[in-house]
Amino acid sequence: MNNIELRNYKEFAMLYNKMVSECFKRCITTFNERSLSGDEHECVNECVNKMVNLNHRVMSVFMEIGPPADKEMGMGGSAASLPTR
């Protein structure tokens, strides 16, 4: 695994762990049952969907704004310059 793949994996793991932690805190209300209640299940689904949609929006804005900003700062800024797998 090269450095870029490792960094991407670490970022994904951090995002996943944050999502699980946030949705758990918001939605899980009791440990009396082995499985989620209907309300907990609905809350978790809504929470995860909201987090995934937010991440998609942030990434699309980043992909739009990031390369020109990188170029302006002298950092290249071209997706074409990124190594492929």
Side-chain angles (χ1 to χ4, degrees), residues 3-4 22 42 54 72 76:
N3 287 341
I4 292 173
E22 288 297 316
E42 184 178 334
L54 175 64
E72 191 175 303

Side-chain angles (χ1 to χ4, degrees), residues 21-29 43 46-47 50-51:
S21 178
E22 288 297 316
C23 292
F24 183 87
K25 283 190 269 185
R26 287 182 192 175
C27 299
I28 308 306
T29 58
C43 180
E46 288 176 12
C47 182
K50 184 184 278 188
M51 294 279 227

Side-chain angles (χ1 to χ4, degrees), residues 2 9 12 14 24 27 31-32 36 39 46 54 73 81:
N2 67 35
Y9 177 77
F12 170 78
M14 284 177 40
F24 183 87
C27 299
F31 295 103
N32 295 337
L36 297 177
D39 289 342
E46 288 176 12
L54 175 64
M73 295 184 325
S81 67

Side-chain angles (χ1 to χ4, degrees), residues 1-8 63 75-85:
M1 190 178 282
N2 67 35
N3 287 341
I4 292 173
E5 289 171 332
L6 184 60
R7 185 188 74 216
N8 288 344
M63 293 306 292
M75 298 172 67
S78 172
S81 67
L82 293 175
T84 58
R85 294 178 191 206

Side-chain angles (χ1 to χ4, degrees), residues 13-70:
M14 284 177 40
L15 180 66
Y16 177 82
N17 288 335
K18 181 174 175 59
M19 180 179 63
V20 168
S21 178
E22 288 297 316
C23 292
F24 183 87
K25 283 190 269 185
R26 287 182 192 175
C27 299
I28 308 306
T29 58
T30 182
F31 295 103
N32 295 337
E33 299 293 325
R34 200 174 190 118
S35 58
L36 297 177
S37 71
D39 289 342
E40 289 173 332
H41 192 269
E42 184 178 334
C43 180
V44 168
N45 282 336
E46 288 176 12
C47 182
V48 168
N49 285 333
K50 184 184 278 188
M51 294 279 227
V52 168
N53 289 336
L54 175 64
N55 185 55
H56 284 224
R57 271 195 251 146
V58 168
M59 291 308 297
S60 67
V61 169
F62 174 76
M63 293 306 292
E64 209 174 288
I65 295 172
D70 287 350

